Amino acid sequence: MTVSPSVVVLDYGFGNVRSAVRALENVGAQVVLTSDFETAMEADGLVIPGVGAFAACMAGINAVRGSQLVDARLIADRPVLGICVGMQIMFDRGIEHGVDTAGLGQWPGTVDQLQAPVIPHMGWNTVHVPSESELFRGIEGEEFYFVHSYAAKTWAMSRSDLYQPDPYQRPAVVSYCEYGESFIAAVENGPLSAVQFHPEKSGNAGLALLGNWVSTL
Amino acid sequence: MTLGARVIACLDVDQGRVVKGVNFLDLRDAGDPCELAQVYNDRGIDELVFLDITASHFDRGITLDLVRRTADTVFIPLTVGGGVRSVQDIDHLLRAGADKVSINTAAIARPELLKEASERFGSQCIVLSIDARRDPEMPSGFGVTTHGGRQSTGIDAVEWARQGEALGVGEILLNSMDADGTKSGFDLSLIAAIREAITIPVIASGGAGALEHFPPAIEAGANAVLAASVFHFGEISISQVKSELAKAGIPVRQVGIDTT
């Protein structure tokens, strides 16, 4: 018998994280909502949620030593999943209202405003999923719930940037979505995965995606 | 590969129970909101709105419990509105599991609330709900009302939407008080007038009575259509609305469309 994997949802004081906790529980994880460094380090999986402004999220992340936490987990090859702004802050920087904020810098690139007639991009949209994706296995054609005004548009990582702990040196699996322009909807890069949409708000498709992630823990 | 037009069900909630008023006056009971939310989720609703019409602030704890119960079992976006007066009210609702909070009368009394709320919680979770009514004395021809449409505020509805956007709200919930309860269709010129003035999403509400009413609302510029009683009493199904929109060439989320 397998023991259900433990997941910490990082609590740094932002928005509705209750749904993320319940959705992860729904797919079989034992979930703790905390900002405690050791607990977050020891969990099988760490989820970084995030809504609102990039700068405010980074301030919250820094207040709980989130940068060191993510670094430490990735070096130890321990899975991390970023959601929405929790994905955006994995990039080098975010530009919102002309304010340029440093992100966690796990991935090269900038998060900036989507160019579309109606902003935010709010609602259900489909995603272009490469066939190697594990996160989207079985739900490749489904729709997911997005709410955001900013996004990373281009994937700029070269092979040499890849995490050393990944013995296969696999290239990252990058899924795209379109709203006014093409942007990154999801990244699977060794232990670090992230999605721009809200799987915890994407009905059965979202639960299936979280289930796929939890099953890798 | 396109964003779908959203189909939203609104549940009017009084002390934890679903009610729906015809023009907000004649209330009928239609059950437990949490159970109803699950049924709607199973049938492919894209989003849910709980409008809390509980009169007494004293009973708001019941609403928070309801939001918690619903957010724990239904994994689609949930907006909660009704009687939201302060940043603290919003904080409580978001913590209970609401994804968005809609603000109406309190913002008319104090527009800065919209700015404070969107700066603190992010634009994406602050919805400005506007009860608009045709008013020839207003520059746009539409005025903002309160008290279920009975009282005029003297504010132009299009100007108010523009101001809401400037104050940082992420979405407009546009209720036509003329069309509400009539089942004679959405107020298309109201939708078009608001759409022209702002670039944030608009939810069209009020007047849905037949399938053919839905596509024109999206074509007039709404990004989502909201209905209540026609859904609650089974007069129109979610599947039928999505099929009708798809037939008109409007992209929709496929979940809920009956493909058999």
Side-chain angles (χ1 to χ4, degrees):
Chain A
M1 282 301 292
T2 53
V3 178
S4 49
S6 60
V7 171
V8 159
V9 174
L10 190 67
D11 182 13
Y12 59 102
F14 276 89
N16 170 18
V17 286
R18 189 184 178 92
S19 300
V21 171
R22 291 293 182 263
L24 287 157
E25 284 173 351
N26 191 286
V27 297
Q30 284 187 307
V31 188
V32 178
L33 178 66
T34 183
S35 61
D36 181 68
F37 194 98
E38 290 307 318
T39 312
M41 192 60 209
E42 283 161 19
D44 296 320
L46 173 68
V47 171
I48 313 271
V51 296
F54 190 104
C57 277
M58 273 311 296
I61 283 281
N62 287 332
V64 299
R65 293 203 295 148
S67 179
Q68 293 95 316
L69 175 64
V70 171
D71 278 347
R73 283 195 63 101
L74 295 178
I75 287 165
D77 204 18
R78 300 180 70 70
V80 175
L81 175 68
I83 295 177
C84 197
V85 183
M87 162 169 160
Q88 297 179 359
I89 58 172
M90 297 302 169
F91 288 86
D92 280 336
R93 41 205 271 272
I95 301 171
E96 292 190 2
H97 306 293
V99 180
D100 191 337
T101 308
L104 297 181
Q106 300 296 344
W107 296 325
T110 301
V111 172
D112 59 6
Q113 184 150 24
L114 274 173
Q115 301 301 316
V118 174
I119 291 287
H121 173 219
M122 189 183 284
W124 301 77
N125 209 332
T126 47
V127 174
H128 273 303
V129 180
S131 57
E132 313 90 86
S133 170
E134 289 174 27
L135 214 45
F136 289 89
R137 186 145 297 155
I139 44 169
E140 295 86 351
E142 297 288 334
E143 294 136 316
F144 299 90
Y145 189 80
F146 290 82
V147 184
H148 61 122
S149 303
Y150 301 85
K153 320 284 174 58
T154 49
W155 184 251
M157 198 170 201
S158 67
R159 290 185 71 85
S160 61
D161 294 324
L162 284 169
Y163 284 108
Q164 295 310 311
D166 181 349
Y168 305 105
Q169 292 284 295
R170 292 164 297 192
V173 178
V174 182
S175 300
Y176 290 87
C177 180
E178 268 157 41
Y179 184 66
E181 60 183 319
S182 175
F183 67 89
I184 297 174
V187 178
E188 297 157 66
N189 175 212
L192 180 58
S193 298
V195 290
Q196 176 61 68
F197 51 85
H198 287 272
E200 78 281 16
K201 286 290 153 187
S202 296
N204 291 337
L207 292 176
L209 183 135
L210 291 173
N212 284 346
W213 182 72
V214 167
S215 74
T216 65
L217 301 178
Chain B
M1 282 303 294
T2 322
L3 179 68
R6 288 170 285 154
V7 180
I8 302 175
C10 179
L11 281 61
D12 290 359
V13 177
D14 185 9
Q15 300 190 52
R17 299 282 295 171
V18 174
V19 289
K20 171 58 191 174
V22 175
N23 276 329
F24 295 114
L25 295 174
D26 186 22
L27 303 178
R28 288 196 281 174
D29 192 294
D32 173 31
C34 182
E35 276 181 43
L36 207 46
Q38 290 172 37
V39 171
Y40 276 125
N41 181 38
D42 292 342
R43 294 185 182 172
I45 200 76
D46 296 328
E47 213 169 304
L48 288 162
V49 174
F50 284 176
L51 181 61
D52 184 16
I53 57 168
T54 307
S56 158
H57 231 62
F58 185 72
D59 292 324
R60 286 299 156 86
I62 299 172
T63 306
L64 291 176
D65 277 341
L66 170 65
V67 172
R68 278 187 209 104
R69 259 194 315 134
T70 306
D72 286 354
T73 49
V74 182
F75 298 105
I76 56 171
L78 173 65
T79 300
V80 184
V84 175
R85 289 182 174 84
S86 64
V87 164
Q88 196 186 20
D89 289 342
I90 299 166
D91 189 43
H92 288 160
L93 288 167
L94 293 176
R95 282 178 191 276
D99 300 291
K100 299 185 250 184
V101 172
S102 85
I103 306 172
N104 190 329
T105 316
I108 296 167
R110 203 173 69 83
E112 304 77 43
L113 175 62
L114 299 176
K115 189 173 165 65
E116 291 163 15
S118 55
E119 280 178 358
R120 166 118 178 239
F121 305 107
S123 293
Q124 82 293 333
C125 62
I126 305 301
V127 181
L128 174 59
S129 175
I130 302 178
D131 292 345
R133 189 184 271 293
R134 284 167 185 257
D135 182 345
E137 289 177 21
M138 293 292 145
S140 72
F142 299 97
V144 178
T145 67
T146 59
H147 299 81
R150 291 189 303 272
Q151 275 185 29
S152 171
T153 61
I155 300 168
D156 185 282
V158 171
E159 188 45 44
W160 182 225
R162 203 178 274 132
Q163 197 184 341
E165 179 178 44
L167 289 168
V169 308
E171 190 170 37
I172 301 285
L173 171 48
L174 183 60
N175 318 293
S176 165
M177 303 316 289
D178 297 303
D180 191 66
T182 64
K183 296 191 177 180
S184 58
F186 294 93
D187 189 332
L188 301 179
S189 20
L190 171 63
I191 296 167
I194 298 285
R195 169 77 294 148
E196 205 175 310
I198 58 172
T199 61
I200 54 178
V202 174
I203 303 170
S205 162
L211 277 179
E212 60 267 28
H213 292 155
F214 291 91
I218 300 294
E219 284 155 4
N223 304 94
V225 282
L226 178 146
S229 56
V230 290
F231 289 156
H232 303 336
F233 296 104
E235 293 161 33
I236 291 176
S237 74
I238 308 306
S239 168
Q240 285 174 319
V241 173
K242 289 192 170 185
S243 299
E244 187 76 11
L245 291 169
K247 219 164 65 187
I250 296 164
V252 287
R253 176 185 173 220
Q254 297 300 303
V255 171
I257 289 193
D258 193 357
T259 48
T260 54

